[in-house]
Amino acid sequence: MAMHVALTFDDNFWAPAYATMRSVCLFTHRRPELVFHLMHRTLTAEHRADLEKIRDEFPVELRFYDLDQSEMFRDIAARMPENKRLSNIVYARLLIDRLVGPDVTRVLYLDCDMLVRDDIGALFDLDLEGNAIGAVRDPAGALITGQRDLLKNRDIFDPADPYFNAGLVLIDVAQWREADIVGRMEAAHASGVMQRIYYDQDLLNLIFKRRWLKLPWRWNVVDARPAHDGIDPAIVHYTGETKPWSVFAHTFGSVAFARVYRHVMTNELFYRFARHRWKRWWKKKLGLGR
């Protein structure tokens, strides 16, 4: 049975996307079953070629989706609140059911700032017990929704309701489609709710309230620090400001599995990505674009 994995990213995140994909491949024996759905924008031919090299090492299938050619995505990205740090690519996962083919009935969505350390086959085969999705509870959920003193948006969220991190979502595609996520987002935008909440993650928590299966914590360990090295997380999620490709991660040991991550990305790509980020930083400083 095919294991469908979806990632969303723009050209500035092509190397982390590769690292996440390669970590999935490295830590499963079911490599021939893997189908990666790569939903991207602004991807250069050079960086697409880097992603395609994964097939030289593993017997996987790659399906590319150019969101720059999607009128629906361009419309949503232009109108919805913009995430300055993550870019409007965050809205791409909401379109998964509209992008994947009819052969896909279940898909595992992964953020591209993740390192997989265990066999996702065990996760992919889980019984969702009738729920639309499976996800891991976010330890900072009440703070994300309520913010200072947990008082904000109390008319929208109840802090007593479990809140999941949407960096990993195991999706029943039929129920995802039935939820009419894009329609619900349009309604939330018209009512002013989208302008008040934390982008698509909050929206998904509203749509799938009490309709999600709580997965074991080890499948999405957020803000992964060195202390997490010893508790054997299945997936580490680098949600903090310091990422494993940052020089500070290696100099000060501030994130979990930083050395492992570098070699999962591969040394060659790791240093090429560092040069890409350095050039981008200088362009911003000099006002020469993003």
Side-chain angles (χ1 to χ4, degrees):
M1 182 182 72
M3 294 194 296
H4 296 275
V5 180
L7 291 79
T8 62
F9 56 95
D10 62 21
D11 193 59
N12 290 311
F13 238 67
W14 100 96
Y18 177 86
T20 298
M21 272 201 300
R22 189 164 185 256
S23 70
V24 169
C25 296
L26 285 167
F27 288 93
T28 183
H29 292 291
R30 294 168 60 181
R31 294 158 189 144
E33 300 174 36
L34 286 168
V35 180
F36 289 103
H37 299 261
L38 306 178
M39 302 168 185
H40 62 86
R41 59 183 307 267
T42 65
L43 185 64
T44 65
E46 177 189 5
H47 293 163
R48 174 169 172 147
D50 285 329
L51 294 165
E52 290 175 339
K53 287 177 185 174
I54 200 152
R55 290 186 296 210
D56 297 338
E57 186 177 5
F58 304 106
V60 301
E61 180 181 348
L62 304 182
R63 300 183 189 179
F64 288 88
Y65 305 81
D66 186 353
L67 296 172
D68 291 324
Q69 303 303 315
S70 169
E71 184 177 345
M72 176 177 292
F73 175 79
R74 294 200 309 269
D75 176 59
I76 289 171
R79 292 187 297 108
M80 294 300 161
E82 182 177 1
N83 188 315
K84 299 291 186 182
R85 183 168 67 92
L86 301 175
S87 89
N88 283 336
I89 195 70
V90 297
Y91 294 111
R93 64 183 146 196
L94 305 183
L95 306 178
I96 283 177
D97 62 301
R98 299 172 183 234
L99 295 172
V100 299
D103 61 314
V104 182
T105 58
R106 173 176 287 206
V107 62
L108 177 65
Y109 170 82
L110 297 176
D111 272 355
C112 291
D113 56 350
M114 287 181 154
L115 173 69
V116 177
R117 301 184 56 257
D118 210 335
D119 188 349
I120 67 157
L123 177 61
F124 196 84
D125 293 340
L126 276 179
D127 182 358
L128 283 173
E129 301 174 13
N131 292 286
I133 63 172
V136 175
R137 185 172 183 175
D138 195 312
L143 184 61
I144 292 170
T145 58
Q147 300 182 32
R148 180 174 292 183
D149 297 330
L150 310 186
L151 293 174
K152 189 177 180 181
N153 290 342
R154 290 288 289 276
D155 58 321
I156 302 174
F157 293 98
D158 188 330
D161 290 327
Y163 178 98
F164 60 83
N165 180 281
L168 176 147
V169 188
L170 182 60
I171 299 169
D172 179 305
V173 175
Q175 292 196 60
W176 185 274
R177 184 174 293 122
E178 290 170 5
D180 185 24
I181 294 172
V182 173
R184 294 281 296 274
M185 181 168 59
E186 296 284 7
H189 187 265
S191 68
V193 168
M194 279 303 297
Q195 293 85 334
R196 296 170 55 193
I197 64 178
Y198 186 67
Y199 309 106
D200 62 320
Q201 179 166 283
D202 272 5
L203 178 70
L204 290 172
N205 270 274
L206 290 172
I207 291 173
F208 294 112
K209 181 179 178 180
R210 301 193 183 95
R211 294 181 56 205
W212 62 281
L213 178 69
K214 183 180 178 183
L215 300 177
W217 62 270
R218 63 188 301 270
W219 287 109
N220 187 0
V221 177
V222 301
D223 196 15
R225 303 298 181 94
H228 291 120
D229 286 15
I231 59 175
D232 192 29
I235 298 179
V236 289
H237 189 180
Y238 300 106
T239 54
E241 290 294 327
T242 302
K243 304 295 187 183
W245 52 83
S246 165
V247 64
F248 299 109
H250 297 266
T251 305
F252 301 110
S254 55
V255 300
F257 302 100
R259 187 177 179 188
V260 173
Y261 183 93
R262 186 182 78 186
H263 292 289
V264 168
M265 183 180 281
T266 72
N267 263 321
E268 187 274 332
L269 188 57
F270 182 88
Y271 290 114
R272 189 145 50 87
F273 184 47
R275 291 192 293 272
H276 171 87
R277 289 184 293 109
W278 186 244
K279 288 178 183 177
R280 185 174 173 232
W281 185 85
W282 272 111
K283 284 183 179 180
K284 283 185 175 180
K285 282 290 184 183
L286 297 172
L288 299 176
R290 298 182 65 177

